[in-house]
Amino acid sequence: MVNEKKISSGFIYFFGAFGGILFGYDIGVMTGALPFLQHDWNLQNNPGAIGWITSSLMFGAIFGGAMAGQLSDRLGRRKMILISSIIFAFGSILAGISPHNGILFMIVARILLGLAVGAASALVPAYMSEMAPARLRGRLSGINQTMIVSGMLLSYIVAYLLKDLPGTMAWRLMLSLAAVPALILFIGVSRLPESPRFLIKNNKMDEARRVLGYIRPNKEQIDSEITQIQETVKEEEKVNQKASWGTLLSNKYRYLVMAGVGVAAFQQFQGANAIFYYIPMIVEKATG
């Protein structure tokens, strides 16, 4: 069990947010790899293939994010993050060893990566919010965002360091090295405890109390939080028995759903993804 030795709250929060590195690295790595890949596979006049290779990650992330919630309710947040890191490492290596002109192979590998990225992007904020006390949740969600942009920065640095390698080796290494942070995440999260909320929901009260003992300063706070989580779980179970997809469109929730979906949609429509993925090609086309 991961709970035999006391684990510092800093270690828990750091590796709880580390999944953001994977998300950021894989957003950014294609920025550096794409110019080399396009020249190696002669894709300059095949924008459809470039678009599919690039966006297939997000296609997989749709399904990874959608499945992660239900699976984590059954298996646990920690276990699902571990599974996501394994899938991510496997997908990274597959992308790096794609056969020459293996466009379909690369797309499938990127979709597999997307499953892991989508799951991690859904699970990491949930895990962090369930581990952190209320007063720290905003700050810790900021750590997750910092991890995402740090992953992007890391991918740019790796691309810069590898740019002088032969073209076919450069992009393959850029993509394959994403397996390294995935391995670090797996090792770190394997030492983390499960979310206390998941443990309480599954009637593992002693384990939940032990986990909260790592990250809450006093016994009274632990007892109070356990009671609060139990009440929330009971309330959710009552709501879930009555809820359906139609509930999302009811007057009570319609505007909340529109706000949540709208914020997520406009984050994509505002165009930053085009910059993340295609800026070297845009600059090359503009300046020669």
Side-chain angles (χ1 to χ4, degrees), residues 9 17 80 87 91 95 98 108 127 140 172 190 220 230 237-238 240 254 260-261:
S9 58
M80 278 304 300
I87 294 172
S98 297
V108 171
Y127 181 82
L140 290 172
R172 289 182 186 279
S190 66
E220 291 76 17
Q230 285 176 314
E237 286 173 352
K238 288 179 188 174
N240 288 338
R254 185 184 304 149
V261 172

Side-chain angles (χ1 to χ4, degrees), residues 24-284:
Y25 186 96
D26 219 74
I27 288 175
V29 71
M30 193 50 78
T31 307
L34 202 53
F36 296 97
L37 177 63
Q38 137 179 288
H39 287 293
D40 187 31
W41 287 6
N42 296 314
L43 299 176
Q44 292 89 336
N45 298 315
N46 194 346
I50 292 172
W52 272 106
I53 288 170
T54 305
S55 61
S56 52
L57 177 91
M58 294 304 175
F59 181 74
I62 294 170
F63 299 98
M67 294 188 300
Q70 289 187 348
L71 288 174
S72 68
D73 282 342
R74 294 180 188 175
L75 303 176
R77 284 47 161 159
R78 173 180 169 273
K79 189 175 287 187
M80 278 304 300
I81 294 174
L82 289 172
I83 292 170
S84 297
S85 65
I86 293 170
I87 294 172
F88 193 97
F90 184 62
S92 301
I93 293 168
L94 279 182
I97 62 171
S98 297
H100 186 67
N101 287 331
I103 294 172
L104 183 59
F105 188 99
M106 175 69 82
I107 290 171
V108 171
R110 296 272 295 165
I111 289 173
L112 190 65
L113 270 169
L115 291 173
V117 167
S121 64
L123 291 169
V124 167
Y127 181 82
M128 293 289 283
S129 67
E130 291 176 7
M131 295 297 287
R135 62 187 174 81
L136 289 180
R137 280 172 195 158
R139 207 179 307 171
L140 290 172
S141 67
I143 291 177
N144 185 44
Q145 293 299 317
T146 302
M147 289 292 193
I148 291 173
V149 294
S150 298
M152 294 173 69
L153 175 62
L154 178 64
S155 72
Y156 300 152
I157 292 170
V158 168
Y160 179 78
L161 294 175
L162 299 178
K163 66 182 173 57
D164 294 324
L165 292 175
T168 186
M169 189 182 296
W171 68 261
R172 289 182 186 279
L173 267 177
M174 290 175 196
L175 297 181
S176 297
L177 283 174
V180 175
L183 180 62
I184 294 171
L185 177 66
F186 182 87
I187 293 170
V189 172
S190 66
R191 293 194 59 219
L192 294 188
E194 183 51 84
S195 151
R197 181 186 176 85
F198 174 81
L199 294 171
I200 291 171
K201 195 172 180 179
N202 288 272
N203 297 314
K204 297 180 179 179
M205 304 303 297
D206 291 339
E207 287 184 51
R209 189 177 297 278
R210 185 160 57 243
V211 171
L212 285 170
Y214 299 151
I215 49 181
R216 302 293 184 266
N218 56 62
K219 186 177 182 297
E220 291 76 17
Q221 188 176 356
I222 292 170
D223 292 338
S224 171
E225 186 158 348
I226 286 175
T227 302
Q228 185 180 3
I229 293 172
Q230 285 176 314
E231 290 172 356
T232 305
V233 167
K234 286 177 185 174
E235 195 64 35
E236 283 182 358
E237 286 173 352
K238 288 179 188 174
V239 171
N240 288 338
Q241 288 170 1
K242 301 175 185 176
S244 67
W245 285 104
T247 307
L248 297 176
L249 302 176
S250 66
N251 290 334
K252 185 177 180 180
Y253 298 110
R254 185 184 304 149
Y255 294 108
L256 290 172
V257 172
M258 288 170 62
V261 172
V263 167
F266 282 113
Q267 281 179 335
Q268 306 306 313
F269 289 146
Q270 46 83 20
N273 284 356
I275 302 299
F276 294 150
Y277 289 127
Y278 299 118
I279 190 63
M281 296 164 66
I282 294 169
V283 172
E284 183 182 27

